[in-house]
Amino acid sequence: MALLEKANRVAHQFDLTDDDVRRCCAHFINELEVGLQRRSPAVCQIPTYVTEVAYGTEKGLSLAVDLGGTNLRVCSVDLCGDSTYTTKQSKITIPTRIMTAQKASDLFHFIAEQIQHFLQTYHQELLTPDKAKTAELLSLGFTFSYPAYQNSINSGILLRWTKGFDIPDAIGQDVCHLLQEAINELHLPIKITALVNDALGALMFRAYALPLSETRTSVGAIFGTGTNGVYLEKLHNITKELEGAYPPASNEMFISCEWGSFDNGLLVQPNTKYDTSLDQVSVNRGNQMFEKRVSGMFLGELLRIALVEMHEDPEVGLFREFREDAATEADGKIPFFTQWAVDTSILSIAEADNSGELLPLRQKIADALSIPEFCIGVEDAQAVKLIANAIGKRAARLAGTALASVILKSGRSLVNPHTFPVDEDSNTTNRALIDIAVDGSVVEFYPGFEAYMRDTWRVIDGIGPAIERRIRIGISKDGSSIGAAIIALIAAQQFQNGSNVA
Ligand code: ADP
Ligand code: MG
């Protein structure tokens, strides 16, 4: 079969029709509801014990440490109380030996050391013996973006690892307690006052920075190494037990969906043989099935699997001249033939490259897959582009479906869209009905990710074109750390004035 014909056929397998979108959305809402009623293995709807969004008026200094899938960030944030702040940040790549350490203490000791190093570099004044004696502890928000069941705002039992981490010893333990112990061992003047996931951090950061007159952010989502969402839910809808304390006057609480494990049974999600191959070699087979179709950790691998198949089929002959034995990397591994070796950024380059000769994409293929340039013709690049686009578009449409589901679940779109006047002629929306904070390299860098998400909102009952236009979405760049520091500060103040009681 001709190369492009085959590429088109492969690409079509990743189609997600408008009907599929509506079916996924209905099932999604159902899983969200079940998760509020009982501890569910699917979308497990973790209560965060954070009951209020930031208003920009918060003031004070606090810290955050953010354990992402790729990077560890430490930051301090000084909130000025007028939606502005100053921050100091450090970032390092998490070594693989730490991600798969023997003991949980190896990981948490490593994190504590990074915090210590950060304080030595930027806040030496906080490490003076006097400071430690006065027992004025700095509050710290721990951004921990793995499923942890929260029993209170500053504790959480690790349910399972995702995104390539694998330290079995830590499962079932309170990750805040483990980090606090490691911090205490180093005698750092710090108290962890909040456990936060990156989606909630991103949300809080955006909410803090918005002008007071703006619609507050009520939904947050991450599309990076992994994917997850948080939204503001009515307390009376959360019928499962809430063990921890929270301010008694609250009537809402942020819920972390843990939507990476949506529809693990594949009842409504699309499934191709490429998805099946990927799942079979993953560390968490049968789990995080939504994440495996949406997030950065997996999309590059999905593309690689499809391309290898097309290369190995002599009738198709993708990169026909390329011989594995002719091109050996220094370490003997060619990314094209190595599991997990292809980054999702190649999908963004493919989507962005609309040039006739596709030179930028061909260059990227050469670099990312280690295939010699002479083996990459225009047709090869066109085939890669077709499939990359299909994988990326499906990811964005699934992402849009997830966001639509939480928007509908939170009931916010049911507000009459005419409550705030829309100036149809000038095409400006004065106020959003719903404000969403997003973060992560996939949503930030994949061209048209937002546009593909919006396509799904327009065809979903209860949203449609009128409300789609009133949904505002903003990148909360690296907001998860700053947001966690904001939450930690608010929580510390609530602990102090005693308002954080059940
Ligand atoms: P983290 O999840 O650690 O916070 P990021 O949000 O940067 O980090 O996400 C990293 C993921 O994004 C990786 O899986 C990587 O493959 C993917 N990625 C990196 N750059 C791009 C890009 N330009 N376009 C799409 N995906 C990208
Ligand atoms: Mg992140």
Side-chain angles (χ1 to χ4, degrees), residues 309-381:
E309 182 201 75
M310 292 175 59
H311 170 67
E312 288 177 348
D313 181 346
E315 284 185 26
V316 179
L318 178 70
F319 313 132
R320 193 179 288 283
E321 308 296 317
F322 181 47
R323 296 281 173 274
E324 187 174 352
D325 43 6
T328 313
E329 290 288 279
D331 62 357
K333 282 191 172 171
I334 303 165
F336 185 44
F337 295 113
T338 307
Q339 276 163 12
W340 312 113
V342 176
D343 193 85
T344 295
S345 59
I346 189 171
L347 276 76
S348 296
I349 306 259
E351 180 84 38
D353 189 355
N354 292 313
S355 66
E357 296 287 304
L358 296 177
L359 284 174
L361 175 57
R362 285 156 78 185
Q363 187 61 53
K364 177 73 179 177
I365 294 169
D367 295 343
L369 309 185
S370 275
I371 294 177
E373 281 172 45
F374 76 90
C375 302
I376 310 165
V378 182
E379 259 202 15
D380 295 304

Side-chain angles (χ1 to χ4, degrees), residues 203-219:
L203 185 157
M204 274 293 187
F205 174 46
R206 177 166 166 82
Y208 176 83
L210 279 175
L212 249 182
S213 59
E214 287 291 346
T215 302
R216 289 293 102 182
T217 316
S218 57
V219 175

Side-chain angles (χ1 to χ4, degrees), residues 66 68-71 73 163 198 222-226 295-298 300 342-349 439-443 445-446 480:
D66 181 348
T70 310
N71 298 308
R73 291 189 174 86
K163 299 184 280 198
D198 48 3
I222 298 293
F223 303 103
T225 310
S295 83
M297 176 155 182
F298 302 101
V342 176
D343 193 85
T344 295
S345 59
I346 189 171
L347 276 76
S348 296
I349 306 259
D439 191 20
S441 289
V442 176
V443 62
F445 298 121
Y446 190 91
S480 52

Side-chain angles (χ1 to χ4, degrees), residues 13 15 51 54 70 126 150 166 184 244 265 337 356 379 397 430 456 498:
Q13 295 179 50
D15 285 347
T51 56
T70 310
L126 300 172
Q150 284 194 246
D166 187 20
N184 295 349
F337 295 113
E379 259 202 15
R397 286 173 68 80
N430 297 332
T456 67

Side-chain angles (χ1 to χ4, degrees), residues 115-149:
I115 300 172
Q116 181 179 45
H117 185 68
F118 174 83
L119 292 179
Q120 283 164 347
T121 310
Y122 295 108
H123 290 282
Q124 190 58 46
E125 79 281 2
L126 300 172
L127 292 174
T128 58
D130 284 2
K131 187 79 191 174
K133 256 188 240 142
T134 58
E136 241 184 75
L137 299 180
L138 263 177
S139 49
L140 179 140
F142 182 16
T143 310
F144 186 78
S145 311
Y146 306 85
Y149 204 86

Side-chain angles (χ1 to χ4, degrees), residues 50-99:
V50 175
T51 56
E52 232 184 293
V53 72
Y55 282 88
T57 50
E58 297 77 5
K59 260 188 191 169
L61 178 72
S62 59
L63 299 174
V65 54
D66 181 348
L67 183 73
T70 310
N71 298 308
L72 179 73
R73 291 189 174 86
V74 185
C75 76
S76 64
V77 182
D78 203 354
L79 301 178
C80 307
D82 57 357
S83 295
T84 69
Y85 61 92
T86 54
T87 178
K88 298 199 166 65
Q89 305 203 37
S90 74
K91 168 173 138 177
I92 63 152
T93 304
I94 304 164
T96 317
R97 66 176 165 82
I98 293 294
M99 297 173 82

